[in-house]
Short mmCIF file of all heavy atoms in Angstrom, two decimals:
data_model
loop_
_atom_site.label_atom_id
_atom_site.label_comp_id
_atom_site.label_asym_id
_atom_site.label_seq_id
_atom_site.Cartn_x
_atom_site.Cartn_y
_atom_site.Cartn_z
N ASP A 560 -4.16 24.90 7.10
CA ASP A 560 -3.78 26.07 6.33
C ASP A 560 -4.04 25.71 4.88
O ASP A 560 -3.42 24.78 4.33
CB ASP A 560 -2.30 26.37 6.56
CG ASP A 560 -1.80 27.53 5.73
OD1 ASP A 560 -2.55 28.02 4.87
OD2 ASP A 560 -0.65 27.95 5.92
N LEU A 561 -4.96 26.39 4.22
CA LEU A 561 -5.39 25.99 2.89
C LEU A 561 -4.32 26.20 1.82
O LEU A 561 -4.45 25.68 0.71
CB LEU A 561 -6.67 26.73 2.50
CG LEU A 561 -7.88 26.47 3.42
CD1 LEU A 561 -9.14 27.06 2.82
CD2 LEU A 561 -8.06 24.99 3.70
N ASN A 562 -3.26 26.95 2.13
CA ASN A 562 -2.10 26.98 1.26
C ASN A 562 -1.29 25.72 1.55
O ASN A 562 -0.82 25.54 2.68
CB ASN A 562 -1.25 28.23 1.51
CG ASN A 562 -2.00 29.49 1.18
OD1 ASN A 562 -2.62 29.58 0.13
ND2 ASN A 562 -1.95 30.47 2.08
N ILE A 563 -1.16 24.86 0.57
CA ILE A 563 -0.54 23.57 0.82
C ILE A 563 0.95 23.77 1.08
O ILE A 563 1.77 23.78 0.16
CB ILE A 563 -0.76 22.60 -0.37
CG1 ILE A 563 -2.25 22.54 -0.75
CG2 ILE A 563 -0.24 21.20 -0.01
CD1 ILE A 563 -3.15 22.04 0.35
N GLY A 564 1.29 23.95 2.34
CA GLY A 564 2.67 24.19 2.71
C GLY A 564 3.05 23.40 3.95
O GLY A 564 2.41 22.40 4.28
N PHE A 565 4.07 23.86 4.63
CA PHE A 565 4.56 23.14 5.81
C PHE A 565 3.44 22.94 6.82
O PHE A 565 2.64 23.84 7.09
CB PHE A 565 5.71 23.91 6.45
CG PHE A 565 6.11 23.35 7.79
CD1 PHE A 565 6.63 22.08 7.87
CD2 PHE A 565 5.93 24.09 8.95
CE1 PHE A 565 6.98 21.54 9.11
CE2 PHE A 565 6.29 23.56 10.18
CZ PHE A 565 6.80 22.28 10.25
N GLY A 566 3.43 21.77 7.40
CA GLY A 566 2.40 21.38 8.35
C GLY A 566 1.50 20.30 7.78
O GLY A 566 0.96 19.48 8.52
N TRP A 567 1.36 20.28 6.46
CA TRP A 567 0.62 19.20 5.83
C TRP A 567 1.44 17.91 5.92
O TRP A 567 2.66 17.92 5.77
CB TRP A 567 0.31 19.54 4.37
CG TRP A 567 -0.81 20.52 4.22
CD1 TRP A 567 -0.75 21.87 4.41
CD2 TRP A 567 -2.15 20.22 3.86
NE1 TRP A 567 -1.97 22.43 4.19
CE2 TRP A 567 -2.87 21.45 3.84
CE3 TRP A 567 -2.84 19.04 3.54
CZ2 TRP A 567 -4.22 21.53 3.52
CZ3 TRP A 567 -4.18 19.12 3.21
CH2 TRP A 567 -4.86 20.35 3.21
N LEU A 568 0.75 16.82 6.13
CA LEU A 568 1.42 15.53 6.36
C LEU A 568 1.00 14.46 5.38
O LEU A 568 1.80 13.62 4.99
CB LEU A 568 1.15 15.05 7.80
CG LEU A 568 1.76 13.72 8.22
CD1 LEU A 568 3.29 13.79 8.14
CD2 LEU A 568 1.32 13.36 9.63
N THR A 569 -0.28 14.42 5.00
CA THR A 569 -0.77 13.33 4.17
C THR A 569 -1.35 13.86 2.87
O THR A 569 -1.64 15.05 2.72
CB THR A 569 -1.84 12.49 4.89
OG1 THR A 569 -3.12 13.12 4.79
CG2 THR A 569 -1.48 12.27 6.35
N ALA A 570 -1.59 12.94 1.95
CA ALA A 570 -2.18 13.29 0.65
C ALA A 570 -3.65 13.63 0.78
O ALA A 570 -4.18 14.45 0.03
CB ALA A 570 -1.99 12.13 -0.33
N GLY A 571 -4.36 12.96 1.70
CA GLY A 571 -5.78 13.20 1.88
C GLY A 571 -6.64 12.55 0.81
O GLY A 571 -7.83 12.88 0.71
N SER A 572 -6.08 11.63 0.02
CA SER A 572 -6.82 11.12 -1.13
C SER A 572 -7.31 9.68 -0.95
O SER A 572 -7.59 9.00 -1.94
CB SER A 572 -5.95 11.19 -2.39
OG SER A 572 -4.77 10.44 -2.24
N GLY A 573 -7.47 9.21 0.27
CA GLY A 573 -7.95 7.85 0.48
C GLY A 573 -9.46 7.77 0.58
O GLY A 573 -10.12 8.69 1.05
#
Side-chain angles (χ1 to χ4, degrees):
D560 177 352
L561 300 189
N562 296 314
I563 309 299
F565 171 64
W567 284 78
L568 179 62
T569 82
S572 59

